[in-house]
Amino acid sequence: MYSRIIGTGSYLPEKVLTNHDLEKMVDTSDEWIRTRTGISQRHIAADGQLASDLAVNASHRALENANLKADEIDLIIVATTTPDMVFPSTACILQNKLGIKQCPAFDVQAVCSGFVYALATADAFIRTGKYRNALVVGSEIYSNIVDWKDRSTCVLFGDGAGAVILTQSDQPGILSSHLHADGNFSDVLAVPGSICDGKVQGSPFVNMEGNTVFKFAVKVLEEVAIEAIEENNLQTTDIDWLIPHQANIRIIRSTAKKLGIPMEKVVTTVDKHGNTSAASIPLALDIAARDGRVQSDQYVLLEGVGGGFTWGAALLRW
Ligand code: ACO
C-alpha cells in the first residue's frame, strides 16, 4: 500500500506588494531585496481573509485537478503557522467550508517544513489502509505576523496556499519521507509571543537571526536531500526535479550547488510570492505540475526547513 499525489492546486491572494511598494514603507530598495533574496513581489491577503480562505481556494483547485468531489476526502491535514484562531484548527474550519462531514481534520505546526511534515503524516495514515483520499494543504498569512516596520524581515514573506490530494495506490508515489527537528535552535527563528490574560505576552512578530538561518538551512537541506536519495538507492543525477522551500534564491542556489543539481532541474517561484512558509512547496509543485515540467514517472524531491528548527524531505515518483 502506497500513497500518490493525484491532484495539485494553489492560490495567491489578489493584492500584490512589490519591492517598489516596500521602498515607500521601510528603508530598503528593490535592488537590495532582489540581490539578497531573489524576491520581486509577494501577495498579501485582503482584510478579513484567513488561512482557511486561502486553503479553500487551493483545495477546490486540487480537487478539480484530481477529478474528485469534496465528499470523497476522508482525511484533512493543514500545515500552518498562521491559523485562523487559537482553536479550532484551520483544518476543521476548512473541512466545514468544503462541506465535508466527519472525516478527521487537524493542523500540523512545523513552520516552513510544515507541508513536508503534513505530507509524511498523510502518507503514513494512507499506508495503514484506513484512509483513501487525503487533502494536504499548506496555507499561510505571514502578513499578520510580520512587523511592517522591520526591514530585515518584512521584505521576505508573503501569503498563499498550496494543496495536494493524496490517494491510496499500489504503485509508489511517495517513496520515502524524512523528518527532523532540533529545538536547540528555537530562539534563532521565532514568533516569541503567546496569548495570556487577554493580551499578547512577548512579541507577535517574526524574529530572526538571518545569517544563522541561512547557514543552517543550506546545511540541512543538503543533508536531508542526500538522506532521501541514498535511502532509495538513487544518485543525485536521478532527480528530475528538486522543489525546495521557497525562502531565498541564494539558499536554493547554494543547496543545488552543494548537491550538484543544475538550476534547470530546480523549481523556483520565490521571486513571485516570497517566503510563504508551509505554502511554498505545494505552491511551487502546483506550478511545475500544471506547466508540464513535472512528468509521469519522474523523480521529484521536495524539501523544506523552518523554525524549530525543523527540516525534512519527501522523495516522490510522479
Ligand atoms: N533593505 C536594505 N538593507 C537591509 C535590509 C533591507 N530590507 N535588511 C537588512 N539590511 C541591511 C542590514 O541592516 C545590514 O546593514 P549594515 O551592514 O549597515 O549593518 C546589511 O543590510 C546586511 O545585512 P545582513 O543581515 O548581513 O544581510 P544578508 O546578506 O545576510 O542578508 C538575509 C539578509 C536576506 C535575511 C539573509 O540573511 C537570509 O536570507 N537569511 C535567511 C533568512 C530566511 O530566508 N528566512 C526565512 C525564514 S526561514 C526559512 O524559511 C528557512
Side-chain angles (χ1 to χ4, degrees):
M1 179 81 70
Y2 299 99
S3 76
R4 160 179 289 278
I5 293 175
I6 56 160
T8 64
S10 61
Y11 175 77
L12 290 164
E14 248 172 65
K15 183 179 168 189
V16 172
L17 187 72
T18 66
N19 293 348
H20 294 294
D21 295 328
L22 279 166
E23 285 173 348
K24 294 173 202 144
M25 296 163 61
V26 286
D27 181 14
T28 192
S29 67
D30 172 55
E31 204 262 336
W32 193 97
I33 302 170
R34 272 192 295 101
T35 52
R36 304 288 174 122
T37 72
I39 299 166
S40 48
Q41 61 173 49
R42 68 287 295 140
H43 291 247
I44 304 293
D47 284 349
Q49 205 173 22
L50 302 171
S52 65
D53 297 319
L54 309 194
V56 165
N57 288 308
S59 300
H60 279 306
R61 289 173 187 179
L63 283 163
E64 196 185 356
N65 190 236
N67 210 10
L68 277 191
K69 295 200 182 68
D71 62 9
E72 291 175 272
I73 295 295
D74 53 12
L75 172 68
I76 300 174
I77 307 180
V78 174
T80 186
T81 320
T82 50
D84 288 15
M85 54 184 84
V86 174
F87 73 82
S89 70
T90 302
C92 285
I93 298 168
L94 173 65
Q95 183 207 47
N96 188 42
K97 287 182 177 174
L98 289 170
I100 301 171
K101 304 274 179 227
Q102 303 270 337
C103 78
F106 57 93
D107 288 359
V108 162
Q109 218 289 36
V111 200
C112 304
S113 314
F115 181 76
V116 175
Y117 267 67
L119 192 70
T121 307
D123 175 53
F125 270 70
I126 286 179
R127 281 171 183 246
T128 66
K130 213 170 157 193
Y131 301 94
R132 184 156 196 88
N133 297 311
L135 170 63
V136 184
V137 187
S139 186
E140 301 279 18
I141 305 206
Y142 261 61
S143 57
N144 285 340
I145 58 166
V146 157
D147 178 356
W148 290 102
K149 293 187 198 78
D150 175 8
R151 69 174 183 175
S152 69
T153 51
C154 76
V155 301
L156 303 174
F157 296 96
D159 304 336
V164 302
I165 310 292
L166 208 58
T167 199
Q168 262 182 15
S169 166
D170 52 6
Q171 297 296 316
I174 297 186
L175 298 170
S176 65
S177 41
H178 309 264
L179 305 179
H180 298 279
D182 188 344
N184 252 328
F185 291 91
S186 55
D187 292 345
V188 171
L189 176 57
V191 177
S194 60
I195 297 174
C196 188
D197 270 343
K199 291 189 247 30
V200 175
Q201 306 277 321
S203 165
F205 296 127
V206 174
N207 193 301
M208 178 182 75
E209 286 174 33
N211 283 321
T212 311
V213 173
F214 193 105
K215 284 184 204 135
F216 188 88
V218 173
K219 176 175 169 293
V220 298
L221 288 173
E222 182 199 10
E223 285 171 5
V224 79
I226 289 171
E227 185 185 328
I229 290 164
E230 285 184 350
E231 179 159 317
N232 291 283
N233 296 317
L234 297 171
Q235 312 286 326
T236 46
T237 47
D238 295 316
I239 300 302
D240 295 292
W241 293 106
L242 176 65
I243 308 189
H245 169 46
Q246 307 286 315
N248 180 316
I249 195 69
R250 285 159 59 222
I251 294 178
I252 295 173
R253 280 202 195 110
S254 303
T255 305
K257 191 170 171 201
K258 281 184 151 210
L259 289 169
I261 296 179
M263 282 305 285
E264 297 73 52
K265 290 181 164 190
V266 182
V267 176
T268 63
T269 54
V270 65
D271 58 318
K272 295 284 189 298
H273 55 65
N275 183 347
T276 57
S277 192
S280 91
I281 294 173
L283 262 166
L285 175 62
D286 182 47
I287 287 163
R290 282 172 190 259
D291 70 18
R293 269 179 285 177
V294 176
Q295 298 273 334
S296 186
D297 267 350
Q298 288 185 330
Y299 288 109
V300 180
L301 181 58
L302 313 180
E303 58 168 352
V305 54
F309 279 131
T310 56
W311 64 103
L315 186 53
L316 322 181
R317 192 90 199 250
W318 198 253

